[in-house]
Structure formats: structure tokens, C-alpha cells
Amino acid sequence: MITATAVYVHPLTLLIARSGLTAAGYLKRVADRHKALGYGAMAYRKEKATRWTREGVTPERTALLAIASLHGLSAADVDRYGWPGFLLLVLDDDQAVLESPWTAAGTLNSLTHVGGPVDRRGFLIASTSTLAAAVAQWMTAEPALAVTDTGRRIGAETADLFDVRLDALRHLDDTVGAGQVYDAAIVELRLITALLKDGSYTQLTGRRLFASAAEASRLAGWCAYDEGRLAAAERHFVTSLRAAASAQDPTLGAVTLAFWANLRYNAGDPHGALHLIDGALADRRKISSPRVLAMLHARAARAHSKADEPAAAWRQIDAAFDAYATADVPEADLTAMYWINHGELHQVAASSALTLGEPKRALEHFTAAVDHTDPYDSDREIRGAVIYQARQAEAHLALGDIDAALGIGHDVITAMGGVDSARTTTTLTELRGHLAAHRHVPAVADFLDYAA
């Protein structure tokens, strides 16, 4: 169970800290702006900041307008997002993503800034306790309400169009690669965010728009991960989780947690991944898609395999197949889950077996992934196919069949072609590392030279 809670930091406290001033110094600037706007003098003792941030006192309207003006915000921003929600429009860094309230205003703040450049290779969220806190906040976040005061009316037909466009982006990711789709997802995200900020809509339409934002941010996160940009990916996943909460869509949130878990266990943090999956499954009755449940159990299996916990891993593999057995036709399920089928689950089982040091069992599942009779199976996108082929070659090599490993290795290089993917490159590098111990074999030496 997820029991951690995030520490809430008032947005004004964050703004004061970032200004480099004392509380009194910051309030002096507010007071100067207050006077310049024609509202008269305003006291600026530090106790005023304490009342506003710790005692729940809302500033007078003229003070709110002075603060907004100081940061380049409008009176409309103050009216729309309230106190202290409008301050979130100013905060645009990782700490704000983590510490902003889990409200519609906090989600909009994350959506507004999440597409910015993040070049760091490390994690945005480093500790397991912080992961758990993010999931705990997701579970109790406030859903979005109707917005009817300003802006042009956004109807259900607009939400329908975003559903179609996002479905196309998911399939484009399968064919054109992560780099181009990342850029397209960011454009989509900005368009959705602009409508959420500036339009008016019913509660239902608003939540559908937040759901579209969640999916666009999740897709951007997945593409960033595929390019090896882990910090950017995690920032997108946090924002996606926030948007799913605002949409009041636990199934969509569970999808985001599953993809985030994939990043964590492949980056050496299987227990962090399991915290995310446990959070998603904490109330599995709210997850409407059997394929999402199957995916969650499959991701849990991979995390347990990387943590060297075979019994738990195989229990999760069984649970994944059991969940999938209850699935209806793909058209009746979540559209984003078109790729979950028997073949995918067998590939996950094979990869888990290989990680656990069971190459024979791995090959059995690799074979089953091809020979199964699931009528809803489809061809894997090229990156996934390459990764699984490389792992199959590793299984053959572990069993001493160098010729079979080399044959598949050549297929991997041919299939990769011009695919630009950090995940596929890493997998090929791992295969080359396993083959390096056999360089004395002429065919292996030739392959290693060719692969280099």
C-alpha cells in the first residue's frame, strides 16, 4: 500500500525563495507595485506572508492584483484560478511540478511548462518515497470542474477530434520513431492546454480535455524515454498523472504509471517501479480495461525479474495472462492498448525468464510469442521487435548455440536500419557484450566488427 504523503509547499513560499529576497523584501516589491497601480500604501512586514501562507488568509483583492502584476499575470488569471492557484502560472521548474497542489490549476501549471528543454540525464524524481508520494497525491487529487466564465465555448466535438489525433500519433510512433512524434505530441499538448486555460466548457468536456492532455504528455514521456532523456520523460509522466487525476480517469492514470514503471526498472530501480505499479493496482476495481490490468501485471513481472525475485515474477506473469483472458475485442477496450495481446505477454515472460537466468524457458516463450493463435495479435513496431530479437539471441547464446545467436544478431542489425532509439541501441550493445566473450570464434569476431 502507498502510505507516503507529499509535503505541500505554498506557491508564494516558492516564489519568495526563488526571488532571492527575504519575505519582507519580496512584500516590499509587492507594496511598491500596489502603490504604482494606484491602490495606495500596503504594509510589508514578514508576518503578512506568514498569514497568507500558513494561516490560510487570502490577501485583499488589490494585493492579489499587485502580486499578479509583479509576475506579469492579468486580473483574468487571478479571477480564473483564485488564490493561490494563479501563482502556479509563474512556477515552471521541476520542484513546482512536484510540489504544486494536485488541483486543476496545478495541472495547468505543469502542462504549461512541461514541454521546455530538460537536458539532464538523471531522474527528475530520485527517491522511492517521492515516487510513493506522487502516487498518493494522484489517488486523492481534486477532479476538474466546469469552466463557464470566460473564453469561447469548447464542445464535445473538439474532444472527439483530439481522441482521433492522439490515436494517429500513437500509431505514428510505431512507424516514424520517437523524435518526430515527440515534437508532434508537444504541439498537441500546447493546443489542448491553451483550450483548457482560455476556453469555457462543461465538466464532462473539461475532463475529456484533461484526459487528452494526460495521453499527449504520456506519449511525449515515452518518446523522451526512447531517446534516452530520462529526466524529461519523468517530468512528462508526472504531468500526465496530474492530468489523469484532473480528468478523474483512474484507468488512464494506471497506464501512465505502467509506462513510468518501465522507465524505472530499466534504469536500475525495480523497487521504485513496483511502488508505481502497486499504486496503480491499489484499487484495481476502478481500472476499466482488462488489457491495462494485463500490462500492469506484465510490468510488475519485469520489475520482479530485475530485482531477482523469480517466484513473484512468475506469479505476475500468470496474473497478466489471467487478466488478458477476460478481455473483449480490442474495439471494446481502451484504444491505446491495441498492442497488448498474447504475443506481447509471451515476449514479456521470455524477457523475464532471460533476466532470471532461465534461457530455456525464455526460448519457450519466445517461440510461443510467434506460434500462438491470438486472433487480435498484430505486427510489433520495429523497435520492440528488435529488442525482443536481441534478447532471443542472448537466450540462444546462454544455451551455447552461437550460430543461432549470430543468425538472429544479423537480423537485428538489418531490422534496425535507420531506427533512432536509445532503447534498441542499448539492447544491441548488451548483445555485443555477451558475444565478446566468444570473439575467438571467427564468425563472432566478424559479427562484432560488422556491428561496430
Side-chain angles (χ1 to χ4, degrees):
M1 287 294 295
I2 302 296
T3 58
T5 56
V7 176
Y8 171 69
V9 180
H10 196 284
L12 183 62
T13 301
L14 293 174
L15 283 179
I16 293 172
R18 283 153 180 70
S19 72
L21 302 170
T22 63
Y26 175 85
L27 291 177
K28 174 65 165 59
R29 287 190 178 180
V30 175
D32 290 342
R33 182 60 58 93
H34 191 272
K35 186 173 182 179
L37 291 171
Y39 300 142
M42 188 188 91
Y44 50 87
R45 293 186 302 275
K46 66 179 181 179
E47 290 79 12
K48 184 184 291 286
T50 300
R51 290 198 300 274
W52 290 351
T53 59
R54 298 181 188 177
E55 298 175 11
V57 176
T58 299
E60 294 182 359
R61 179 168 176 77
T62 56
L64 295 176
L65 295 175
I67 295 170
S69 176
L70 186 65
H71 294 288
L73 302 177
S74 67
D77 292 324
V78 174
D79 293 337
R80 182 155 199 170
Y81 301 112
W83 172 263
F86 74 87
L87 297 180
L88 300 176
L89 301 175
V90 184
L91 300 169
D92 61 355
D93 59 10
D94 292 349
Q95 189 174 5
V97 170
L98 292 175
E99 295 179 346
S100 296
W102 282 62
T103 61
T107 297
L108 280 173
N109 177 56
S110 296
L111 291 170
T112 300
H113 300 291
V114 76
V118 182
D119 297 326
R120 291 173 287 106
R121 294 283 171 168
F123 292 134
L124 163 64
I125 298 176
S127 68
T128 298
S129 62
T130 311
L131 289 174
V135 176
Q137 293 282 42
W138 165 64
M139 290 177 173
T140 58
E142 297 178 9
L145 301 175
V147 173
T148 58
D149 53 349
T150 59
R152 70 183 182 88
R153 188 72 170 177
I154 308 300
E157 65 280 0
T158 302
D160 292 340
L161 287 172
F162 281 121
D163 288 343
V164 173
R165 290 160 64 98
L166 288 169
D167 190 50
L169 279 185
R170 283 190 291 266
H171 289 281
L172 281 170
D173 178 47
D174 295 342
T175 57
V176 305
Q180 295 90 333
V181 173
Y182 178 83
D183 292 338
I186 292 299
V187 170
E188 205 75 8
L189 194 59
R190 288 172 179 163
L191 177 56
I192 298 166
T193 303
L195 294 179
L196 282 167
K197 289 176 65 177
D198 302 327
S200 62
Y201 35 80
T202 66
Q203 179 174 289
L204 177 59
T205 298
R207 290 182 183 177
R208 288 187 64 191
L209 291 175
F210 274 112
S212 293
E215 177 60 7
S217 193
R218 182 204 64 78
L219 183 56
W222 177 247
C223 291
Y225 166 52
D226 192 53
E227 294 182 305
R229 298 187 294 121
L230 300 188
E234 291 212 293
R235 184 169 177 151
H236 281 296
F237 289 145
V238 174
T239 301
S240 176
L241 195 63
R242 283 182 175 274
S246 295
Q248 205 171 41
D249 191 333
T251 301
L252 192 56
V255 171
T256 295
L257 289 169
F259 277 82
W260 192 359
N262 185 305
L263 180 155
R264 296 302 298 201
Y265 63 64
N266 280 320
D269 183 23
H271 292 106
L274 288 169
H275 273 279
L276 296 174
I277 296 167
D278 287 347
L281 291 170
D283 193 352
R284 58 184 295 143
R285 294 169 299 178
K286 293 182 179 179
I287 298 176
S288 60
S289 164
R291 284 179 172 82
V292 170
L293 286 171
M295 175 179 61
L296 287 166
H297 288 299
R299 297 284 163 88
R302 287 298 285 134
H304 281 298
S305 72
K306 288 178 177 288
D308 196 24
E309 298 167 350
W314 291 114
R315 282 197 301 271
Q316 291 292 344
I317 289 294
D318 290 341
F321 280 107
D322 288 344
Y324 183 71
T326 68
D328 201 342
V329 297
E331 293 76 14
D333 209 319
L334 201 66
T335 55
M337 292 293 102
Y338 62 91
W339 54 278
I340 293 291
N341 48 53
H342 272 114
E344 175 67 23
L345 297 182
H346 278 297
Q347 297 280 24
V348 170
S351 296
S352 299
L354 186 62
T355 300
L356 291 166
E358 301 181 52
K360 184 177 180 181
R361 193 172 188 176
L363 284 179
E364 291 173 354
H365 280 287
F366 279 128
T367 300
V370 176
D371 294 343
H372 69 87
T373 57
D374 187 345
Y376 305 124
D377 198 7
S378 58
D379 293 335
R380 287 196 60 83
E381 49 91 15
I382 185 64
R383 289 163 300 175
V386 164
I387 290 170
Y388 286 133
Q389 279 184 303
R391 291 174 183 162
Q392 188 176 4
E394 288 182 29
H396 281 294
L397 189 62
L399 291 171
D401 192 343
I402 294 177
D403 290 340
L406 288 176
I408 295 175
H410 281 288
D411 291 340
V412 166
I413 294 176
T414 301
M416 282 186 68
V419 173
D420 182 16
S421 167
R423 292 186 298 131
T424 55
T425 300
T426 298
T427 303
L428 179 59
T429 299
E430 291 172 352
L431 176 59
R432 289 172 56 198
H434 289 297
L435 283 165
H438 305 277
R439 181 176 276 277
H440 60 279
V441 178
V444 173
D446 291 342
F447 174 83
L448 292 174
D449 293 339
Y450 175 64

